[in-house]
Amino acid sequence: CAGAVKLWLADSGECLRTVETRGVVIHSAFCPVGARMLSAAPDGATELWCVDSGRRLLSFATQAPGGGEANAGGGAGPDNDSDTSEDSAAEPGVVCAALSADGDQVFTASANGLARLWSTAAGDSF
């Protein structure tokens, strides 16, 4: 089931950008610095988007099925626009995701108690 994140102008109510996601979105955030949006899904898919182009910049995944370690989908770097497959590793049951005010860090927390702080420049967790 596809989902979407929409960015609205508060003063006019105009929809500025719609970004299509792989599935249902439970959390989203906006950072005006660098014009970035964050989306997080219950399947663990957490993605960083460019507001201007609508392009996915990074996909964050923190735990592979069976507990193995995984990295940010498709490699690191803010210009990574590689597609993340439906089979990609993802943090199970994301319950919270946030984007720092400067757009440099992403926080994810899951139902299994795993919390991570990610660098949007490198695509890895601290």
Side-chain angles (χ1 to χ4, degrees), residues 67-92:
E69 198 65 24
N71 60 18
D79 294 322
N80 172 22
D81 61 356
S82 301
D83 281 337
T84 303
S85 73
E86 292 295 324
D87 297 332
S88 71
E91 184 173 327

Side-chain angles (χ1 to χ4, degrees), residues 17-20 37 49-57:
R17 170 75 60 197
T18 300
V19 175
E20 299 294 325
M37 292 190 303
W49 304 89
C50 173
V51 171
D52 295 333
S53 68
R55 192 180 89 203
R56 182 177 53 229
L57 300 174

Side-chain angles (χ1 to χ4, degrees), residues 6-93:
K6 294 184 180 237
L7 180 63
W8 300 87
L9 293 176
D11 56 350
S12 69
E14 176 187 353
C15 181
L16 182 64
R17 170 75 60 197
T18 300
V19 175
E20 299 294 325
T21 63
R22 293 183 303 155
V24 175
V25 173
I26 59 168
H27 286 279
S28 63
F30 170 70
C31 176
V33 176
R36 295 175 175 185
M37 292 190 303
L38 181 71
S39 65
D43 70 355
T46 303
E47 299 171 311
L48 186 66
W49 304 89
C50 173
V51 171
D52 295 333
S53 68
R55 192 180 89 203
R56 182 177 53 229
L57 300 174
L58 282 173
S59 294
F60 302 94
T62 59
Q63 187 172 341
E69 198 65 24
N71 60 18
D79 294 322
N80 172 22
D81 61 356
S82 301
D83 281 337
T84 303
S85 73
E86 292 295 324
D87 297 332
S88 71
E91 184 173 327

